Amino acid sequence: MSRMRLLRESNGQTFEGFVLIKSVAIRPNSKGVDYLDLVLADDEGECNAKLWDYTSTLHGIFEAEDIVKVRGSIVIWKDIEQLKIERIRHVSPQDEVDLSRLIPCAPEDPSRLYDELYALAGGFKNPDYRRLVQYLMHEHRDKLLLYPAGVKLHHATRGGLLHHTRSVVRLCERIADLYPALNSDLLYTGAILHDIGKLRELEVGSLGLASAYTEAGQLVGHINIGVSMVENAADALGLDKQAAMKVQHMLLSHHGQPEFGSPKLPMFPEAEVLSVCDLLDSRLYEMFQALDGVQPGGFTERLWALDNRQLYKEEK
């Protein structure tokens, strides 16, 4: 993510303001004295922070998704900014905190994106694909309006899963216009449902941010979870077995390569298109995020999620 608003608006040496605790752990230092190891975030970015010589009786107890006010100094550790917290407290109603400045949200209204995708499925000529998509979307509407697409990587924002899904569908729509031989109903079904398993893969709180992976997410993964969800829905609706199997293949192959987590390579054109569009949207999102704080003509640091590449920001 980009640099935190808290740091951007600081004087470069000290900071004070409201932040979201994204993660927190109590750890011992080299002398056995406890400290708090936190990741603090706002709507623009996140940063690691330390509260040294921590005791719960003196400082209080803090958990992920708490909104707190912090004060301290900015230090550089291994060439990376880190926050040294001197004071921390929970917010009170009197603080009148603007949550929109603390929680990274998708740039488009999830309710509108949901309605667009639901309506798109309603126009499918194939009744099996129409019923499958609308059934799963209706059953999981509340989560779809809230969930991010990941813990840290692409679209890890409130409503990010629908944002990513709609972007992938838009890409697929453009390609379907160029290649009329594609089965658009099948293509859009796979695009809408390709990450449906993330609703059971991610541990997501009431603020719509993922803090970890669920047990099923760790042991099974969203691809296999999604395949199971499609199978169960198809059985419940009495859908055509072959139609359901094609959708399952698209979910199994949408990461493209085994090293990226796909048990199968795409074996028909619609699956290939989905795989390419999913990769394109995720990579472009990460690229734009990484380049956001870079001056024109400059380079990012190496990004492990993008094959350890440095990215260049062109001078316009």
Side-chain angles (χ1 to χ4, degrees):
M1 295 186 70
S2 303
R3 198 166 185 250
M4 289 178 69
R5 177 194 299 274
L6 178 73
L7 299 181
R8 183 172 58 80
E9 296 178 350
S10 72
N11 61 14
Q13 296 179 322
T14 61
F15 63 90
E16 181 175 8
F18 298 101
V19 293
L20 167 74
I21 296 179
K22 199 166 184 181
S23 67
V24 58
I26 302 174
R27 307 187 192 280
N29 64 16
S30 59
K31 296 181 180 179
V33 179
D34 286 343
Y35 69 93
L36 277 191
D37 187 11
L38 309 101
V39 174
L40 303 180
D42 56 28
D43 66 318
E44 294 189 3
E46 63 184 45
C47 188
N48 183 256
K50 301 288 192 289
L51 175 60
W52 303 106
D53 300 325
Y54 167 75
T55 62
S56 59
T57 53
L58 176 63
H59 299 102
I61 298 175
F62 301 95
E63 299 178 349
E65 297 203 355
D66 282 351
I67 305 294
V68 295
K69 186 174 185 181
V70 291
R71 179 193 301 175
S73 57
I74 302 169
V75 298
I76 303 297
W77 187 75
K78 293 186 177 181
D79 297 325
I80 298 175
E81 283 183 317
Q82 189 177 93
L83 307 182
K84 179 183 178 183
I85 298 174
E86 296 165 4
R87 290 192 178 184
I88 183 171
R89 68 168 175 83
H90 290 93
V91 298
S92 65
Q94 291 74 27
D95 290 319
E96 298 183 349
V97 177
D98 182 0
L99 291 181
S100 67
R101 292 170 60 90
L102 301 183
I103 302 172
C105 299
E108 297 183 76
D109 178 19
S111 295
R112 181 174 61 80
L113 297 181
Y114 177 93
D115 290 344
E116 287 180 5
L117 293 172
Y118 196 88
L120 176 65
F124 290 171
K125 295 178 181 178
N126 185 303
D128 288 324
Y129 297 142
R130 180 177 66 247
R131 294 174 63 203
L132 176 65
V133 172
Q134 291 193 326
Y135 174 83
L136 284 170
M137 288 189 68
H138 176 75
E139 286 293 300
H140 302 285
R141 184 179 187 276
D142 290 344
K143 285 188 174 182
L144 285 169
L145 295 177
L146 181 71
Y147 266 50
V151 177
K152 285 187 176 181
L153 296 179
H154 72 90
H155 300 83
T157 60
R158 179 187 176 99
L161 179 57
L162 267 182
H163 178 212
H164 168 60
T165 300
R166 187 66 181 106
S167 296
V168 172
V169 170
R170 285 169 177 157
L171 289 170
C172 289
E173 288 176 318
R174 302 299 187 275
I175 294 176
D177 288 340
L178 290 172
Y179 297 93
L182 290 168
N183 181 338
S184 60
D185 284 0
L186 174 59
L187 176 59
Y188 302 156
T189 296
I192 293 171
L193 299 180
H194 79 279
D195 274 344
I196 194 74
K198 290 188 175 183
L199 300 180
R200 296 177 182 171
E201 178 186 49
L202 301 175
E203 199 74 65
V204 177
S206 59
L207 296 178
L209 300 177
S211 57
Y213 292 92
T214 63
E215 185 177 45
Q218 291 275 24
L219 296 177
V220 182
H222 78 276
I223 290 178
N224 293 309
I225 293 171
V227 169
S228 178
M229 292 171 71
V230 167
E231 181 178 24
N232 291 338
D235 287 344
L237 295 170
L239 303 184
D240 178 74
K241 298 284 186 184
Q242 188 178 39
M245 183 171 57
K246 290 178 182 177
V247 178
Q248 289 176 301
H249 174 76
M250 295 184 74
L251 269 62
L252 285 169
S253 62
H254 82 267
H255 278 191
Q257 299 290 333
E259 56 264 36
F260 298 150
S262 273
K264 300 292 291 185
L265 295 174
M267 297 176 68
F268 48 80
E270 292 78 10
E272 180 71 18
V273 172
L274 172 59
S275 174
V276 170
C277 291
D278 178 54
L279 179 63
L280 178 61
D281 184 59
S282 63
R283 285 195 168 177
L284 286 180
Y285 183 94
E286 292 174 20
M287 284 182 165
F288 289 133
Q289 288 287 302
L291 290 167
D292 186 52
V294 177
Q295 294 297 317
F299 292 84
T300 67
E301 61 186 30
R302 292 193 178 275
L303 305 168
W304 70 266
L306 292 171
D307 306 316
N308 207 33
R309 282 179 282 174
Q310 285 184 287
L311 303 181
Y312 171 74
K313 188 167 187 176
E314 66 169 321
E315 298 181 83
K316 297 181 179 180

